[in-house]
Amino acid sequence: MSIWSTVDRLVDQATDEAGLVDHGLDLWAAFRWHATGRDVPSDFLLHERAAAMATLALPSQLAWIREVLEGPVILLKGPEVAARYPDPMLRPFGDLDLLVPDPDDAQRRLIAAGCVEASEAEPQHRPGLQCPGWLLQIEVHERPNAPRWTTIPVDDLFARAVPSALPAEGFLTVHPAHHAVLLAIHSWHHEPLRRVLDLVDIAAMSEGQDPEELRAIAEEWGVGRVWNMTQCAIEAVRSGEPPRARVGRRLGAHLWMLRQPTWLEVRIARLVAVFWAPLSLLGAREMVKSVFITSPATIVSFVLRHTVAPHVSRLRSRPTPKSTGRHGGWENPQHERLPR
Amino acid sequence: MSYRIPEYVLARPVHDDIMILDSRDGRYLGLNGSGAIVWSVLAAGGSVDAAVDELATIFDVTREHAGSDVARLVEELLRLSLIVPAER
């Protein structure tokens, strides 16, 4: 069964709208429900509009970036993955991740062109930039988003890069096999078995790639077990049958049921993930920290989500493309829908 | 009277609506179902009269009512430079 048929089935079977949002499938659901005559929630309609604007604005923004930056620019994740979907509008994205050989120079050039820092730096990228008149925030990366214990050779990413699938001249993207494994690492770095959208992305990017090569890349980068578990999760979601192993069935329950994982499930997944990391001191230390260290704000947020107003908070917390300046809002002409 | 969509204007349907982006300055707007019908007629090179006919047919309103709505929308689109008069 193709991954797209799988998403259709998941959306058709979904009874929890907030679960669709949590798993990043609300755009897909809106598209499918329009077609089948099912009512589409107003939040989904807003997300649909935002996705349409992001898709429309993307080529112009990329052309502008290409004028500002020199040298090779690799596009990672979001829009590049969306280009593999049946319609790019079905896959949400809110920023542009650029991998460049000299991130400091790229950051300087973008700021000189009018961009301003809009979010904090992370170990793998410079502070996020909002650029005048452009919808999507930009993050300039010196390496992909991955735990420190992974061994991703950035030079190899550039060496095997291929032309971007997006309608923009002069951009590269990482080889699909590299991209698939990077997506798996990125997802796990956020949260093990985080959401169905991540699995769909990985499956879409793996399409047509040699499974042995994918596995070899994952092993080389130190994430063989993460890759294997991701493949099991994809197969389970694709088949509609939870894994027979009790641990896998328990850990992935939120995936087959399209709901948010419980606090306990997240902790168990992180704990088990300790054993999937390479047995290095650095890897073990990072993983153990992720299991046991939680900020008070995160705990409060979790309790609120699961006790006070689970649906409302989850729908409202859904990220939409960031907008500032001339993209500041919808403008509606003065006309009313004519009565039927 | 006919209009054309300038090359800097990008549009994309979202179900019954249409999202429109002015790529020169990033302004965007959303047209609802009836506005989207008018936009589609104009974008295909149809005249204002044709758009009025289309609306009057689809929404079962008088031609005068449809004409008034179309005129208002066309005026707004012209003001925003999202359409320009077609060259004869």
Side-chain angles (χ1 to χ4, degrees):
Chain A
M1 178 185 280
S2 85
I3 194 65
W4 311 125
S5 308
T6 299
V7 182
D8 280 344
R9 176 176 50 77
L10 288 171
V11 163
D12 288 346
Q13 293 173 350
T15 53
D16 178 12
E17 290 165 6
L20 286 165
V21 175
D22 288 338
H23 285 278
L25 298 182
D26 49 320
L27 292 176
W28 194 289
F31 180 82
R32 187 147 175 90
W33 292 354
H34 284 311
T36 56
R38 185 167 162 182
D39 283 343
V40 180
S42 57
D43 291 288
F44 288 22
L45 295 174
L46 286 175
H47 296 163
E48 228 182 0
R49 287 180 162 208
M53 296 317 304
T55 308
L56 272 178
L58 182 62
S60 309
Q61 183 166 358
L62 288 176
W64 180 81
I65 291 170
R66 193 58 277 182
E67 283 178 16
V68 172
L69 298 184
E70 287 188 350
V73 180
I74 285 182
L75 288 163
L76 295 170
K77 303 183 296 174
E80 202 62 51
V81 180
R84 295 199 161 236
Y85 275 54
D87 184 331
M89 231 191 77
L90 298 175
R91 201 280 182 196
F93 56 87
D95 59 10
L96 293 170
D97 295 290
L98 312 179
L99 179 66
V100 294
D102 187 345
D104 291 328
D105 178 66
Q107 187 85 352
R108 261 196 309 273
R109 286 174 181 275
L110 288 164
I111 290 173
C115 302
V116 293
E117 292 186 2
S119 62
E120 291 182 9
E122 297 284 344
Q124 70 278 4
H125 67 74
R126 302 295 180 267
L129 297 173
Q130 192 69 56
C131 302
W134 298 114
L135 186 65
L136 300 167
Q137 200 175 102
I138 297 171
E139 285 177 359
V140 177
H141 285 248
E142 65 177 69
R143 59 183 171 82
N145 187 9
R148 279 186 294 168
W149 47 264
T150 55
T151 53
I152 303 169
V154 176
D155 287 347
D156 279 5
L157 300 183
F158 278 99
R160 285 192 71 191
V162 297
S164 165
L166 296 168
E169 290 289 315
F171 283 93
L172 300 169
T173 189
V174 286
H175 188 279
H178 283 167
H179 219 155
V181 180
L182 284 177
L183 290 168
I185 297 171
H186 178 260
S187 175
W188 278 71
H189 195 35
H190 275 287
E191 206 70 76
L193 298 174
R194 183 170 64 141
R195 55 180 186 171
V196 171
L197 182 75
D198 294 353
L199 300 178
V200 174
D201 285 353
I202 295 161
M205 196 54 81
S206 304
E207 192 75 36
Q209 302 304 308
D210 177 2
E212 289 306 315
E213 185 193 4
L214 291 164
R215 193 167 295 116
I217 291 169
E219 293 288 349
E220 183 191 335
W221 292 358
V223 290
R225 276 171 284 192
V226 166
W227 180 254
N228 290 341
M229 191 62 199
T230 301
Q231 291 307 301
C232 287
I234 290 172
E235 279 317 305
V237 168
R238 203 193 285 265
S239 68
E241 297 287 333
R244 271 179 293 181
R246 185 178 293 175
V247 171
R249 202 162 55 227
R250 180 67 253 170
L251 288 180
H254 64 289
L255 297 172
W256 355 116
M257 298 170 76
L258 276 183
R259 62 163 171 75
Q260 203 171 52
T262 64
W263 187 89
L264 186 61
E265 284 169 344
V266 169
R267 262 54 204 174
I268 293 172
R270 288 182 183 178
L271 188 61
V272 173
V274 169
F275 301 102
W276 293 327
L279 294 175
S280 71
L281 185 60
L282 186 61
R285 198 174 63 199
E286 280 199 12
M287 286 296 210
V288 170
K289 268 170 64 181
S290 75
V291 176
F292 295 111
I293 297 178
T294 306
S295 73
T298 306
I299 293 172
V300 170
S301 156
F302 226 101
V303 170
L304 285 175
R305 269 210 304 272
H306 287 273
T307 56
V308 181
H311 290 267
V312 172
S313 66
R314 272 180 272 165
L315 280 172
R316 287 185 181 163
S317 66
R318 167 72 158 72
T320 52
K322 297 137 187 138
S323 63
T324 60
R326 284 169 283 182
H327 285 282
W330 301 102
E331 294 208 29
N332 289 297
Q334 299 297 310
H335 75 288
E336 303 290 334
R337 175 175 281 278
L338 298 170
R340 287 183 186 274
Chain B
M1 182 75 184
S2 294
Y3 297 89
R4 67 176 178 83
I5 314 299
E7 67 282 357
Y8 55 79
V9 174
L10 308 170
R12 126 145 243 166
V14 181
H15 188 47
D16 287 340
D17 302 345
I18 281 189
M19 300 298 111
I20 302 168
L21 174 78
D22 183 337
S23 65
R24 295 171 307 171
D25 59 9
R27 288 166 67 93
Y28 50 90
L29 68 84
L31 294 181
N32 69 9
S34 56
I37 289 167
V38 175
W39 178 270
S40 300
V41 172
L42 298 180
S47 65
V48 169
D49 282 346
V52 172
D53 289 341
E54 188 78 1
L55 268 194
T57 303
I58 291 175
F59 289 95
D60 194 24
V61 293
T62 65
R63 213 173 173 287
E64 288 70 29
H65 188 163
S68 161
D69 282 331
V70 171
R72 276 214 312 270
L73 177 57
V74 167
E75 185 184 344
E76 186 71 3
L77 293 173
L78 279 169
R79 186 182 70 75
L80 296 169
S81 302
L82 295 176
I83 58 173
V84 294
E87 293 166 9
R88 289 174 185 274

